[in-house]
């Protein structure tokens, strides 16, 4: 259904039998430090997992969620995808397991999902929102050609206080 792959990575839609992987990813405090406060199993299932199981098509109001796996082993590394924010703009996102961070998988998956969003779904622009302080995601987006377009001050409540969000954007004509 989603024809995406690269040298080291394969992608497939999130499936019901991915629950244990998805739950572990969402409960890892290192991974979720800039994304979410701790959540119960039920909160993760209802707020995130179940919604991402729905069939995605352009115009959907929920995230396209793809499991990223290593071609050579089939081991899941994380998830990636996007959500349509308007007719021709989508917001991308990615979460990698702690043991696979710092190996270029985030960058490779960002390029793959960007190509898919622009070439297959004809989006005009992609955006990304990153909680301030998440330098690893910031570097990945900048390396992928995204530009930091601004900061939304005290925009996201995390760790008991309001955090700034960094906003990034990439136009289709800027993607190489």
């Amino acid at each position: 259904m989603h024809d995406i792959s690269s040298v080291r990575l394969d992608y497939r839609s999130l499936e019901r039998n991915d629950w244990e992987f998805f739950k572990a990813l969402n409960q890892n405090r290192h991974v979720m430090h800039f994304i979410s406060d701790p959540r119960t199993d039920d909160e993760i299932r209802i707020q995130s997992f179940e919604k991402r199981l729905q069939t995605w098509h352009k115009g959907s109001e929920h995230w396209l969620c793809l499991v990223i796996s290593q071609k050579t082993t089939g081991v899941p590394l994380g998830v990636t995808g996007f959500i349509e924010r308007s007719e021709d703009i989508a917001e991308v996102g990615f979460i990698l397991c702690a043991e696979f961070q710092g190996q270029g998988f985030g960058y490779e998956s960002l390029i793959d999902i960007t190509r898919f969003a622009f070439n297959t779904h004809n989006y005009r622009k992609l955006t990304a929102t990153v909680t301030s302080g998440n330098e690893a995601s910031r570097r990945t987006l900048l390396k992928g050609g995204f530009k930091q377009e601004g900061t939304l001050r005290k925009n996201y409540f995390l760790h008991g206080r309001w955090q700034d969000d960094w906003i990034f954007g990439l136009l289709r004509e800027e993607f190489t």
Side-chain angles (χ1 to χ4, degrees):
M1 178 172 141
H2 306 291
D3 187 25
I4 311 171
S5 69
S6 62
V7 174
R8 300 186 300 165
L9 304 175
D10 281 327
Y11 303 84
R12 64 171 174 76
S13 295
L14 185 70
E15 300 170 352
R16 197 158 294 284
N17 63 2
D18 291 315
W19 166 242
E20 290 300 325
F21 166 73
F22 191 86
K23 179 177 74 168
L25 186 65
N26 279 264
Q27 289 180 335
N28 183 301
R29 292 314 315 141
H30 172 76
V31 170
M32 299 304 288
H33 180 74
F34 291 104
I35 301 171
S36 173
D37 285 322
R39 297 184 293 164
T40 66
D41 291 8
D42 285 343
E43 288 171 328
I44 294 168
R45 182 184 298 277
I46 293 165
Q47 295 169 5
S48 299
F49 185 71
E50 293 292 333
K51 292 177 182 179
R52 286 165 172 80
L53 289 175
Q54 300 174 42
T55 302
W56 186 92
H57 57 85
K58 191 162 184 194
S60 291
E61 295 181 3
H62 61 275
W63 282 86
L64 165 66
C65 185
L66 303 175
V67 176
I68 308 165
S69 61
Q70 199 168 13
K71 270 189 195 255
T72 56
T73 65
V75 171
L77 311 176
V79 294
T80 189
F82 51 79
I83 186 168
E84 193 167 295
R85 295 299 186 195
S86 70
E87 184 177 318
D88 59 354
I89 298 174
E91 179 180 354
V92 299
F94 51 88
I95 305 173
L96 289 181
C97 298
E99 62 268 29
F100 297 110
Q101 293 177 4
Q103 300 175 48
F105 293 122
Y107 170 73
E108 188 172 334
S109 69
L110 176 64
I111 297 304
D112 296 340
I113 200 71
T114 298
R115 184 180 308 109
F116 179 68
F118 283 145
N119 296 346
T120 303
H121 294 289
N122 204 32
Y123 287 108
R124 174 184 63 80
K125 181 179 182 175
L126 297 179
T127 65
T129 304
V130 175
T131 305
S132 66
N134 187 345
E135 290 296 334
S137 289
R138 181 180 183 277
R139 283 190 307 271
T140 299
L141 288 160
L142 292 173
K143 184 177 177 183
F146 283 73
K147 309 277 188 266
Q148 188 167 346
E149 295 183 339
T151 300
L152 299 177
R153 298 177 303 143
K154 294 187 178 185
N155 192 61
Y156 186 60
F157 197 77
L158 182 67
H159 307 307
R161 65 184 183 89
W162 288 101
Q163 309 282 336
D164 293 347
D165 276 334
W166 294 329
I167 305 302
F168 296 84
L170 178 66
L171 303 173
R172 182 177 33 232
E173 60 267 20
E174 296 171 334
F175 182 64
T176 55

